[in-house]
Amino acid sequence: NAGVMQNPRHLVRRRGQEARLRCSPMKGHSHVYWYRQLPEEGLKFMVYLQKENIIDESGMPKERFSAEFPKEGPSILRIQQVVRGDSAAYFCASSPTGQSNQPQHFGDGTRLSIL
Amino acid sequence: DAKTTQPNSMESNEEEPVHLPCNHSTISGTDYIHWYRQLPSQGPEYVIHGLTSNVNNRMASLAIAEDRKSSTLILHRATLRDAAVYYCILRGAPGGGTSYGKLTFGQGTILTVHP
């Protein structure tokens, strides 16, 4: 049973470009979470999605960031007009439900570097 | 949100038991206690969770105080591979005071294992 798959593992963008990060949840999981880890900082929640719905986006920056989890295909975290401060590791997690007694399973992350 | 308090760092020797403490004095009755760990350059990894009773799995044991205001993650025989940052996180039910859905990571405990 494949785990959470994130790609690409490493992504380099120049300032002003767009970054698209993809996350395929574990089989049978319809709940996806995105987290960001800035250099030398802790993990911060960004957004929680269930198929085609955003459940909680309280951690998403108000501008340039968006996320989707379509009925078919992976979840996408999109960052428009990237800036140096967007350089970070972005982790995706999935779970079968959003219940608090369910663990979240994480991918190995996408390391985004902005030149 | 109910908060957790953990020591910044702990050290252990290989093949010895490790007890990682966590205080959560404001825990609600419906909050689950979750533990995750993050190895260097990897995504977080689920370790164990519990509500009231002590729990065991192949990775570790979780001892929960009778008043639930504290818990201890027990690694029975530490290996070099157990060197990681360990996070104690509370997860609540919908509509409760504790985060639902998302995981709120604190600074965690950096565990160093000596050969």
Side-chain angles (χ1 to χ4, degrees), chain B residues 49-95:
Chain B
H49 76 276
L51 184 62
T52 56
S53 303
N54 295 344
V55 184
N56 299 296
N57 66 20
R58 63 175 180 81
M59 290 182 69
S61 295
L62 176 61
I64 301 173
E66 196 168 331
D67 63 4
R68 302 213 322 129
K69 293 183 184 295
S70 66
S71 60
T72 302
L73 179 70
I74 303 166
L75 307 178
H76 296 284
R77 290 183 64 193
T79 69
L80 296 178
R81 195 195 172 279
D82 291 322
V85 182
Y86 286 78
Y87 299 98
C88 170
I89 298 170
L90 301 183
R91 295 193 70 196

Side-chain angles (χ1 to χ4, degrees), chain A residues 9 33 35 37 43 45 48 56 58 91 98-104 106-108 111, chain B residues 30 32 34 36 38 41-44 46 49 87 91-93 100-103 105 107:
Chain A
R9 290 294 306 277
Y33 315 79
Y35 297 83
Q37 189 166 34
L43 286 145
F45 165 79
Y48 164 26
D56 180 358
S58 59
F91 294 99
Q99 296 296 320
S100 55
N101 62 347
Q102 293 273 327
Q104 293 183 11
F106 284 78
D108 284 333
R111 274 124 185 106
Chain B
T30 54
Y32 281 83
H34 285 247
Y36 287 77
Q38 187 175 23
S41 301
Q42 294 188 25
Y46 165 77
H49 76 276
Y87 299 98
R91 295 193 70 196
Y100 170 72
K102 64 185 177 185
L103 294 173
F105 289 85
Q107 293 303 307

Side-chain angles (χ1 to χ4, degrees), chain A residues 30-100:
Chain A
S30 59
H31 294 247
V32 164
Y33 315 79
W34 285 93
Y35 297 83
R36 177 168 68 172
Q37 189 166 34
L38 294 166
E40 307 303 322
E41 293 191 19
L43 286 145
K44 302 293 184 188
F45 165 79
M46 298 183 75
V47 63
Y48 164 26
L49 310 100
Q50 190 182 358
K51 282 288 186 179
E52 300 184 276
N53 294 305
I54 295 176
I55 307 299
D56 180 358
E57 57 181 347
S58 59
M60 284 281 269
K62 295 292 183 240
E63 298 178 350
R64 303 187 298 108
F65 285 71
S66 62
E68 62 176 9
F69 187 18
K71 187 176 181 181
E72 301 291 337
S75 175
I76 305 289
L77 180 67
R78 181 183 179 203
I79 311 172
Q80 295 179 287
Q81 300 175 330
V82 296
V83 300
R84 287 248 173 88
D86 297 332
S87 294
Y90 292 82
F91 294 99
C92 168
S94 74
S95 62
T97 73
Q99 296 296 320
S100 55

